[in-house]
């Protein structure tokens, strides 16, 4: 396990690192998740193995510190991640990022372009979303006030999301989980979609085939973003269909895996 100090108060981001060739690959999890649990199988898949790979946990999540004074905006997440990657001597990385992690990766590429050479986004949030009480995911978490979430709302979320997601969500700081959800639903200005459209690096967006056409797919394709539907999966594409995920990601990053 490696680590880097990313705040003036000394808070640390931590990651699991697999040795290999450069450029590095950086795997970034979604809300309430942790990269080693979600990406270990993918990182060692024969189509993706052999690169230096950082399975990194965002501040407030997984094995990273959980400061209560951090604001957990997408911009702050991205800047903290940038400090960790800089400490790790990473430049021009290939980012493979899921859900909220994809939103953070887009912001990172926009704010710290020297750190990112390619993006593979996995069903990432591109637009602000409404806060809906009682719903799953960031929308339901963000519908609570912070006080209500900390005083018992988290227990309702625990019961809604089920044991699989809760197994990693319970590792997140409760302030971190709530604030991250609030800022994910709020999005960025310009939006994550607008930032993605303006990036000049190779970009691929993976989504579950059953979700139907990605909203705004034509504009994304016109801007050079490759949109790839993946069969037989839900939101957690890399866990639900690891073979198809590895093949699509390998094509996006190296051109391998076209069989």
């Amino acid at each position: 396990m490696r680590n880097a100090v990313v705040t003036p108060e000394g808070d640390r981001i931590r990651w699991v690192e697999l040795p290999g060739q450069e450029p590095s690959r950086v795997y970034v999890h979604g809300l309430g998740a942790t990269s080693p649990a979600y990406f270990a199988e993918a990182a060692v898949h024969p189509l993706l193995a052999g690169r230096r790979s950082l399975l990194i946990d965002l501040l407030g999540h997984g094995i990273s510190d959980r400061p209560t004074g951090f604001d957990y905006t997408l911009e702050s997440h991205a800047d903290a991640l940038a400090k960790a990657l800089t400490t790790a001597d990473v430049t021009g990385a290939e980012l493979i990022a899921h859900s909220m992690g994809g939103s953070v990766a887009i912001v990172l590429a926009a704010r710290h372009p020297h750190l990112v050479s390619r993006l593979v986004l996995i069903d990432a949030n591109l637009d602000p979303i409404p806060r809906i009480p009682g719903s799953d995911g960031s929308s339901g978490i963000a519908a609570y006030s912070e006080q209500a979430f900390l005083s018992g709302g988290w227990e309702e979320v625990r019961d809604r999301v089920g044991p699989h997601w809760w197994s990693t969500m319970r590792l997140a700081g409760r302030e971190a989980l709530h604030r991250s959800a609030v800022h994910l639903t709020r999005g960025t200005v310009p939006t994550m979609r607008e930032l993605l459209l303006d990036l000049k690096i190779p970009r691929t967006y993976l989504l579950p085939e059953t979700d139907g056409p990605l909203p705004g797919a034509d504009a994304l394709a016109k801007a050079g973003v490759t949109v790839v539907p993946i069969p037989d999966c839900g939101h957690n594409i890399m866990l639900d269909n690891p073979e198809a995920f590895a093949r699509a990601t390998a094509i996006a990053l190296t051109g391998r895996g076209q069989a």
Side-chain angles (χ1 to χ4, degrees):
M1 183 174 63
R2 312 287 178 86
N3 69 88
V5 174
V6 297
T7 70
E9 294 74 28
D11 303 298
R12 295 176 184 268
I13 276 180
R14 296 182 178 86
W15 65 92
V16 171
E17 184 166 326
L18 305 176
Q21 298 178 346
E22 298 285 355
S24 297
R25 288 190 179 144
V26 178
Y27 293 84
V28 188
H29 61 84
L31 179 70
T34 171
S35 288
Y38 275 69
F39 286 113
E41 182 177 4
V44 299
H45 189 282
L47 290 172
L48 297 173
R51 289 289 186 86
R52 182 191 180 197
S53 297
L54 287 72
L55 283 63
I56 200 160
D57 281 350
L58 296 171
L59 206 62
H61 290 71
I63 57 176
S64 292
D65 285 346
R66 301 181 289 277
T68 58
F70 194 72
D71 62 15
Y72 296 100
T73 65
L74 293 175
E75 294 88 349
S76 293
H77 271 306
D79 290 346
L81 180 55
K83 290 178 181 177
L85 296 181
T86 299
T87 299
D89 294 323
V90 170
T91 59
E94 299 169 343
L95 260 68
I96 301 98
H98 179 230
S99 197
M100 183 187 81
S103 304
V104 172
I106 292 168
V107 178
L108 175 73
R111 291 167 73 91
H112 307 276
H114 66 289
L115 294 176
V116 185
S117 63
R118 288 177 180 266
L119 281 179
V120 176
L121 304 173
I122 310 157
D123 210 16
N125 303 71
L126 300 182
D127 306 296
I129 57 177
R131 303 176 189 180
I132 303 174
S135 63
D136 291 339
S138 59
S139 179
I141 294 171
Y144 294 92
S145 68
E146 183 168 309
Q147 181 179 3
F149 183 76
L150 296 178
S151 65
W154 68 269
E155 295 173 311
E156 297 172 354
V157 169
R158 175 199 62 196
D159 295 340
R160 285 201 302 269
V161 302
H164 174 79
W165 196 1
W166 185 250
S167 69
T168 59
M169 189 181 285
R170 65 189 174 87
L171 303 177
R174 290 174 190 168
E175 292 89 354
L177 185 62
H178 182 265
R179 293 174 197 168
S180 293
V182 167
H183 290 294
L184 181 60
T185 60
R186 183 178 298 162
T188 57
V189 180
T191 65
M192 296 84 78
R193 181 182 297 271
E194 292 168 323
L195 293 174
L196 180 62
L197 289 170
D198 285 343
L199 294 175
K200 306 307 179 187
I201 56 176
R203 295 144 294 160
T204 299
Y205 188 102
L206 310 181
L207 76 159
E209 188 175 67
T210 54
D211 283 1
L214 179 68
D218 290 344
L220 290 170
K222 189 174 181 180
V225 181
T226 302
V227 178
V228 182
I230 305 296
D232 304 321
C233 66
H235 179 57
N236 297 323
I237 297 173
M238 59 286 196
L239 301 179
D240 296 339
N241 193 339
E243 288 298 320
F245 171 76
R247 189 163 55 249
T249 301
I251 291 170
L253 296 177
T254 68
R256 296 167 56 208
Q258 287 95 330

